[in-house]
Amino acid sequence: MLLGMTRDPGTPRRAPAGAAVLREDVTAAIRAAVFEELAAVGFARMSIEGIARRAGVGKTAVYRRWKSKLSLVLDLVSAFAAQGLPVPATGSLHGDVRALLEVASHALRHPVASQVIPDLLVEAARHPEISAAIKAALLDSQQGVAALVVRDAVARGELPESADPERALDLIIGPLYWRLVVVRGDLPEGYLDDLAAAAVAGLTRG
């Protein structure tokens, strides 16, 4: 357009030539590639080049969306935290605890999560941003669910009003996390049932 000319208000605007259009399918492919790359090589060795290659896109497609691998990982962890855990509503404390254990065990046994979570926890000691994101994804959301489970149990008279949601979370998820993520052991048949019973016993004893 020549200087001084005005645009007809009825003429639709066009995107500037060369403007990047962020396709959702490409974004989804990159996000999936990040999880796979983290599981394969870890955060320290992960590179934008490797992510792009795994996603089948050019590096520029990644950089259009995230400025660095750190910002990319933080975005994914934050998105995971936003999804949250489903709040069980079985009608009993034991049922809610057992349901939480089922969901948590499924997530922790996922082949990608079992590799990614321990690696990011190590990196959290070096990167305060990762530490904050991990806290939101793995602690804050789970504490919120535990608080609702305790609240419902108190309302039903199964727990005293002094019941501590943080202690509940330690008793419910702590042993499971230790076995699956730290020890990397299998879950014998009936393990979740026994763990649920033990957690409920510990909570109800005060």
Side-chain angles (χ1 to χ4, degrees), residues 54-192:
R54 193 179 289 272
V57 301
K59 289 190 299 182
T60 54
V62 181
Y63 282 118
R64 285 193 191 108
R65 294 161 173 81
W66 300 277
K67 63 182 180 180
S68 66
K69 70 175 185 179
L70 177 59
S71 62
L72 205 168
V73 169
L74 291 176
D75 177 63
L76 292 184
V77 172
S78 298
F80 176 80
Q83 294 177 5
L85 289 174
V87 180
T90 65
S92 72
L93 176 59
H94 182 276
D96 287 352
V97 169
R98 181 62 176 79
L100 272 182
L101 287 171
E102 186 69 36
V103 172
S105 67
H106 179 75
L108 292 174
R109 282 186 288 184
H110 189 282
V112 174
S114 64
Q115 296 293 328
V116 170
I117 292 174
D119 182 67
L120 288 182
L121 288 176
V122 171
E123 293 299 329
R126 305 186 184 100
H127 298 279
E129 303 97 328
I130 291 181
S131 177
I134 290 293
K135 181 177 181 295
L138 298 182
L139 181 60
D140 292 351
S141 61
Q142 293 182 13
Q143 282 184 337
V145 173
L148 293 175
V149 168
V150 168
R151 181 202 65 186
D152 291 345
V154 170
R156 290 190 297 262
E158 296 175 286
L159 290 177
E161 292 187 3
S162 60
D164 183 1
E166 290 190 13
R167 179 169 177 265
L169 186 62
D170 290 344
L171 289 172
I172 297 169
I173 303 297
L176 183 65
Y177 184 87
W178 173 264
R179 186 177 188 94
L180 292 179
V181 178
V182 180
V183 178
R184 294 182 178 274
D186 295 328
L187 297 184
E189 185 177 354
Y191 178 84
L192 294 183

Side-chain angles (χ1 to χ4, degrees), residues 1 7-21:
M1 180 182 296
R7 176 184 295 272
D8 181 350
T11 303
R13 290 182 175 271
R14 294 182 179 179
V21 178

